[in-house]
Amino acid sequence: MGVMSARRRITRISNASSPSGPARDSRGDELTVESPLNLVLSDQIVATLMRTPGHDLELAAGWLVVESGVRRPEHLIGLRQCRTVDDLAAREAEGTGRGVDQVHVWLADGVTPPRPRAWVTGSACGVCSADVLDLGPLRWASPHRPGWTVEAEVVQSLPDRLRAEQRTFERTGSLHAAGLATGHGDVLVVREDVGRHNAVDKATGWALLDGRLPATDLLLSVSGRVSFEIVQKAVAASVAGIVAVSAPSDLAVDLAREHGLLLAGMVRDGRMNVYSGADLITGST
């Protein structure tokens, strides 16, 4: 696993309204690491993801679930991580001490390869170079079995359970998280990253490599807002629903309704807004 945090000197200013003037304190602070990851297929870089190092093979696998025809572990012949030596040496000579990480991907015969992207996918944008909004081709399994429901208490508990597993966030305060949980509230995996979509890809990649896709009857819990890209990834993983501490966009709501997903947002302080799939939630709060 890569280093997810780094220390920098900062100046902390307090008591800004004090008659004697603000107090200044120079100290070390722990920050989230953000660095590029190249995804390489057939010796060609197909994408460069700005991410927080850690669980990079899962990130690559989860990214491929949306961007290619990967659906099963056997669709991936191999995943190998390395660092570009020449680039690392050049950067170290400049005093930066950073190289560029790469994940090399080998797909099974017949698996649709990803379309190469012409620019960097930033940590705030997971679908920047997409030119279509049709999620139909991504849906390959039902999000939940007939009769599947989840207790309201379970939905309300997921953000706190996710937060309890955010180890690096405790130190940096600047990471998003995504996790997969059962309808009974058992958290199976939690992954952190500077990008919301990267955290989702890491969780989805874990499920893919562990043979748990389609993630039918599982809930995707996210620490931020829900945009199109999050629903896109949820549909590709075939999860039953999305639980978020913030609100969704209008397009996210429309797509969740179209694909039969539960979508609960603003899940905090004993309350929640259910934007899609209210009939899937049972019990009282």
Side-chain angles (χ1 to χ4, degrees):
M1 179 184 296
V3 177
M4 300 184 70
S5 64
R7 294 192 67 81
R8 297 288 187 273
R9 298 294 298 181
I10 67 167
T11 298
R12 178 167 294 178
I13 299 177
S14 58
N15 299 323
S17 60
S18 171
S20 60
R24 295 173 178 263
D25 177 24
S26 179
R27 62 176 67 187
D29 192 41
E30 199 158 0
L31 304 177
T32 297
V33 170
E34 182 178 16
S35 62
L37 175 69
N38 292 337
L39 303 188
V40 182
L41 178 67
S42 300
D43 295 324
Q44 179 183 13
I45 296 176
V46 295
T48 298
L49 309 179
M50 295 304 299
R51 95 300 186 204
T52 299
H55 306 288
D56 287 337
L57 297 183
E58 293 176 351
L59 172 59
W63 186 85
L64 288 166
V65 170
V66 171
E67 299 293 337
S68 76
V70 172
R71 295 291 182 268
R72 306 286 187 187
E74 55 268 25
H75 290 168
L76 290 172
I77 299 300
L79 289 172
R80 179 173 61 85
Q81 185 167 4
C82 65
R83 174 165 286 201
T84 51
V85 177
D86 292 341
D87 185 79
L88 176 58
R91 290 174 180 267
E92 285 181 339
E94 296 171 1
T96 62
R98 293 196 182 199
V100 176
D101 294 313
Q102 294 185 338
V103 170
H104 289 255
V105 179
W106 291 269
L107 300 178
D109 291 340
V111 176
T112 303
R115 179 184 62 184
R117 294 189 174 190
W119 51 78
V120 171
T121 297
S123 57
C125 177
V127 71
C128 297
S129 61
D131 52 16
V132 294
L133 296 180
D134 180 17
L135 302 190
L138 292 178
R139 184 167 183 174
W140 57 290
S142 174
H144 47 76
R145 292 172 297 176
W148 180 89
T149 59
V150 58
E151 292 284 339
E153 184 179 3
V154 169
V155 175
Q156 288 187 341
S157 72
L158 286 182
D160 288 340
R161 297 186 186 195
L162 186 72
R163 179 71 173 79
E165 296 296 325
Q166 290 185 252
R167 310 302 186 194
T168 309
F169 180 87
E170 288 293 334
R171 305 195 304 272
T172 66
S174 59
L175 282 177
H176 288 287
L180 291 171
T182 69
H184 299 292
D186 299 321
V187 178
L188 303 178
V189 63
V190 174
R191 293 291 183 258
E192 293 181 286
D193 198 276
V194 69
R196 297 185 318 278
H197 61 286
N198 287 340
V200 173
D201 280 343
K202 288 179 179 181
T204 300
W206 171 87
L208 169 68
L209 298 176
D210 201 49
R212 292 176 180 262
L213 291 188
T216 300
D217 295 351
L218 296 183
L219 292 167
L220 172 66
S221 181
V222 296
S223 61
R225 60 186 174 86
V226 179
S227 58
F228 159 80
E229 61 187 345
I230 302 301
V231 178
Q232 176 193 44
K233 295 176 186 300
V235 170
S238 299
V239 299
I242 305 170
V243 179
V245 297
S246 298
S249 68
D250 62 339
L251 182 58
V253 171
D254 292 343
L255 292 172
R257 291 176 177 177
E258 178 182 346
H259 291 276
L261 271 65
L262 166 67
L263 176 53
M266 304 301 291
V267 185
R268 58 180 77 170
D269 302 325
R271 298 186 300 272
M272 71 177 89
N273 294 338
V274 183
Y275 301 89
S276 173
D279 57 315
L280 298 174
I281 297 180
T282 60
S284 58
T285 59

